[in-house]
Amino acid sequence: MSWRGRPSAGAGVEDMLREFQGYVLAYRLRAAIGGRVRPPGAQLSLAGYAAARLERQGLARDLVKKGIHPEQMRRLDELSNELMFGFWLNPREVADFLSAVLRHHPHPAIGDPEAFAALLSPGERSRLGDLGVKLVVAHHLTCLTLAAPLTDPAAMGRVWERIEATEPPLFVDELARAGQLGG
């Protein structure tokens, strides 16, 4: 399935290209902000990203299957950081990023759609058109809100209130077999 829900023969390739695109936008945002969040090296080409991604995937597979040595674990962490793996969709990564930015290097691209759109090249804006640019910006700024419960104490409180208000009763079979469920 493609990201639009339609069958696609190249969905795996499309997903990988989307991942690279997310990396590029994260790189541009971090480079524009600078300071502690500035990426340490040059932006990877598509081929360089693919090679690093394959290396990371191999290390992660080895970690799960047989374990890896500490130096391999460090390399896995380095690659994850370099690829900004999970940057847009991992609430903890987003929260850590925003926390660093808001403490040291506030930047208009964090909340201003026009400033975020400025991260796109003229060619990208042309290919996307006005509506496409608005959708790209809305998507990425929405991704930054994943951190809200982790960075805003009031939002965190609201989330905990919802969690507590919807606490389910005890129901799993293992508890019933152990006689831990009433009635």
Side-chain angles (χ1 to χ4, degrees):
M1 295 293 257
S2 76
W3 68 279
R4 292 189 176 113
R6 294 186 296 234
S8 171
V13 171
E14 189 173 311
D15 290 342
M16 293 302 292
L17 294 176
R18 234 174 256 301
E19 183 182 302
F20 174 71
Q21 183 170 279
Y23 158 79
V24 169
L25 287 176
Y27 187 95
R28 290 178 187 171
L29 178 61
R30 290 175 61 183
I33 293 169
R36 288 183 50 207
V37 300
R38 176 177 295 286
Q43 182 179 315
L44 296 171
S45 66
L46 178 57
Y49 182 89
R53 180 66 166 87
L54 287 172
E55 182 183 354
R56 183 194 179 281
Q57 188 174 351
L59 287 168
R61 186 176 35 254
D62 289 349
L63 174 64
V64 170
K65 285 185 177 181
K66 60 184 179 185
I68 57 177
H69 299 288
E71 64 273 1
Q72 291 172 303
M73 189 65 190
R74 277 190 292 282
R75 180 64 179 149
L76 178 61
D77 288 342
E78 287 171 8
L79 287 166
S80 295
N81 290 336
E82 180 180 20
L83 299 173
M84 293 175 246
F85 202 71
F87 181 85
W88 294 108
L89 300 176
N90 180 325
R92 172 52 51 204
E93 291 287 322
V94 172
D96 290 347
F97 167 74
L98 288 177
S99 184
V101 168
L102 297 175
R103 255 183 290 152
H104 302 288
H105 301 282
H107 192 276
I110 296 300
D112 177 13
E114 288 182 33
F116 192 93
L119 298 173
L120 303 174
S121 74
E124 291 163 348
R125 282 188 235 139
S126 175
R127 276 189 299 285
L128 286 166
D130 288 340
L131 179 59
V133 169
K134 287 178 184 176
L135 291 172
V136 165
V137 169
H139 171 78
H140 289 89
L141 290 180
T142 300
C143 287
L144 293 178
T145 67
L146 285 171
L150 300 172
T151 58
D152 176 4
M156 179 64 89
R158 289 188 298 275
V159 169
W160 277 113
E161 286 173 8
R162 286 179 55 203
I163 289 170
E164 289 168 352
T166 59
E167 185 175 47
L170 297 174
F171 66 92
V172 295
D173 292 336
E174 289 80 356
L175 294 177
R177 283 192 292 273
Q180 297 298 313
L181 300 182

